[in-house]
Amino acid sequence: MRLRLVCALLIAAGITGCDGLQTTSVITPTPTPTDTKRVYNATASAGDFLTVTIDPKALTISYSDVTNATSGTIPYTVNADGSYALNDPNGNLVAAYEVPNYAMVIESMKSGPGADTPALITAVESGPILLSTFENSNYNYMQFRTAYGGMAIGSVNIGSSTAQTSEYWPYGAISGGGNESFNQGSIPLSIFAEDSSGTFLSGAMPNGGGAMTLFGTANGFFIVDTGNGSILGLEKASSAAFNPINAGTYSALYYKKTNVQQNNSGVETGTPTFGNATITISATGALTMTDPAGTTITAGTLAPVSSASYLYGSAGELVDPCWGMFTYRVTKAATQSDFFISFVNGAVVFSWFKAPLPWNGDLSSYDYMYGVGLTPPS
């Protein structure tokens, strides 16, 4: 319980510096008539807060999007790989992965305030959270957006009254206009209050920063819904080193946007797509992500964020080593990309950013991707 709350709040403090299926493993067993309904709280990377209910007896998924007032009940079928194929008459929810009573990811075509934005929905089991249990802890996070470079990573150190954040935001390196790649911030914890349901916290950022909703699960996966996208809380590891226990194969659903440009009004152009991928990680941290045709999407050898001199170890960079978060950078003749990944209870959370060289604030076009990979619960 303590971990759940702390991380959610910590992550909330991490909003800084920004305006504003082929698989190789079965994710979930075929539902049986004895299964009970499963209830999740969820956030879309376009900034929506949702509730999702899976009824495995009726083989339906019901959702209610609090942000844009849309809802629906959708029949689903279970694919051979354990993923869900959704038959949404409104054309919103398309596909999903679930680890029952833990977490799920859903492909949405109609998220956002206008119910017209493709986004990745990340959900965790609905459960009780308390305002009084998030003190004196430190967590990592990733932020997923559909604008402003799409992703950021960092850490949050929470005390008894404030949470201090340290963030790396790749878009800041190419966007100009006074933006920075590395940002620090602070947020008072007094802005948060418990909802009467007991399953989430709500509050508003100071100085008109917008509303946010915090929720999570005791299994170690935490989420903050904001108008600026989804923030996923990640428990820190006990050391910087890659743990071979996290080696294996993960089935992933990701959101990707390519050939992106951002105008001065905050409108991000580009081509959004969803994809399914297989992520294979060796005992030494060699990672390969492939699409259903076997084509490599990205590959590299994972190193601790704390070992990347361009991220940590010097003034003006991350102030926290982010133990438990790993990265690699791929530099080619004309482009550079950063990949990040964290592990939490049989799942991976990952993000990626790519832009032409040099990264010097010239408002280059860019690509980004983020997603979640799941394995069957042990």
Side-chain angles (χ1 to χ4, degrees):
M1 180 72 68
R2 173 183 169 79
L3 296 181
R4 175 176 68 220
L5 244 310
V6 178
C7 190
L9 219 14
L10 317 170
I11 307 305
I15 305 173
T16 63
C18 312
D19 299 324
L21 283 175
Q22 180 205 353
T23 64
T24 58
S25 58
V26 175
I27 301 304
T28 183
T30 301
T32 68
T34 59
D35 287 337
T36 58
K37 291 182 179 181
R38 300 185 288 271
V39 180
Y40 297 89
N41 286 328
T43 176
S45 53
D48 298 14
F49 176 57
L50 307 91
T51 58
V52 178
T53 301
I54 296 183
D55 186 339
K57 293 182 181 179
L59 288 176
T60 60
I61 295 178
S62 300
Y63 71 94
S64 176
D65 189 320
V66 177
T67 302
N68 61 28
T70 60
S71 61
T73 298
I74 306 162
Y76 70 90
T77 56
V78 182
N79 296 320
D81 61 12
S83 61
Y84 295 166
L86 311 183
N87 184 20
D88 187 349
N90 295 321
N92 181 12
L93 306 189
V94 178
Y97 285 138
E98 182 198 17
V99 174
N101 299 310
Y102 172 48
M104 67 184 303
V105 286
I106 309 171
E107 177 182 333
S108 168
M109 301 304 297
K110 296 182 178 180
S111 288
D116 56 2
T117 303
L120 186 71
I121 295 173
T122 310
V124 295
E125 179 189 14
S126 178
I129 56 175
L130 303 172
L131 188 62
S132 59
T133 53
F134 50 85
E135 293 182 348
N136 304 315
S137 295
N138 194 356
Y139 287 79
N140 299 327
Y141 71 86
M142 287 190 192
Q143 184 164 13
F144 297 165
R145 310 181 184 90
T146 56
Y148 295 104
M151 55 77 59
I153 64 99
S155 67
V156 183
N157 188 354
I158 192 166
S160 59
S161 60
T162 62
Q164 307 296 321
T165 70
S166 176
E167 176 188 81
Y168 173 61
W169 182 37
Y171 174 75
I174 68 166
S175 60
N179 291 319
E180 301 290 342
S181 295
F182 296 94
N183 300 281
Q184 296 183 39
S186 177
I187 185 172
L189 305 182
S190 58
I191 67 172
F192 297 100
E194 301 167 18
D195 183 74
S196 59
S197 68
T199 62
F200 62 87
L201 309 176
S202 59
M205 291 288 287
N207 303 317
M212 60 180 62
T213 306
L214 319 176
F215 49 94
T217 171
N219 290 324
F221 200 57
F222 317 97
I223 299 178
V224 182
D225 174 72
T226 81
N228 196 28
S230 309
I231 304 176
L232 281 63
L234 308 164
E235 186 176 2
K236 287 185 178 292
S238 58
S239 73
F242 175 76
N243 190 337
I245 197 173
N246 292 317
T249 300
Y250 299 83
S251 299
L253 180 63
Y254 65 82
Y255 173 97
K256 185 177 182 180
K257 190 179 283 189
T258 56
N259 298 318
V260 184
Q261 291 195 346
Q262 185 90 48
N263 67 23
N264 292 331
S265 300
V267 177
E268 185 183 82
T269 63
T271 304
T273 58
F274 290 95
N276 306 308
T278 298
I279 299 174
T280 304
I281 305 173
S282 75
T284 58
L287 181 148
T288 302
M289 180 187 295
T290 56
D291 67 15
T295 303
T296 298
I297 299 171
T298 181
T301 298
L302 300 176
V305 163
S306 58
S307 297
S309 60
Y310 52 88
L311 296 174
Y312 176 76
S314 299
E317 298 181 337
L318 291 170
V319 301
D320 186 280
C322 297
W323 284 3
M325 186 175 292
F326 299 88
T327 188
Y328 58 78
R329 171 170 282 184
V330 177
T331 301
K332 298 184 178 180
T335 64
Q336 181 171 281
S337 63
D338 285 341
F339 181 87
F340 298 91
I341 193 168
S342 284
F343 303 88
V344 52
N345 288 2
V348 292
V349 179
F350 59 90
S351 56
W352 172 88
F353 182 90
K354 178 181 177 181
L357 287 170
W359 287 18
N360 60 3
D362 64 356
L363 288 173
S364 299
S365 64
Y366 54 92
D367 304 338
Y368 63 83
M369 173 179 64
Y370 49 75
V372 176
L374 304 176
T375 61
S378 58

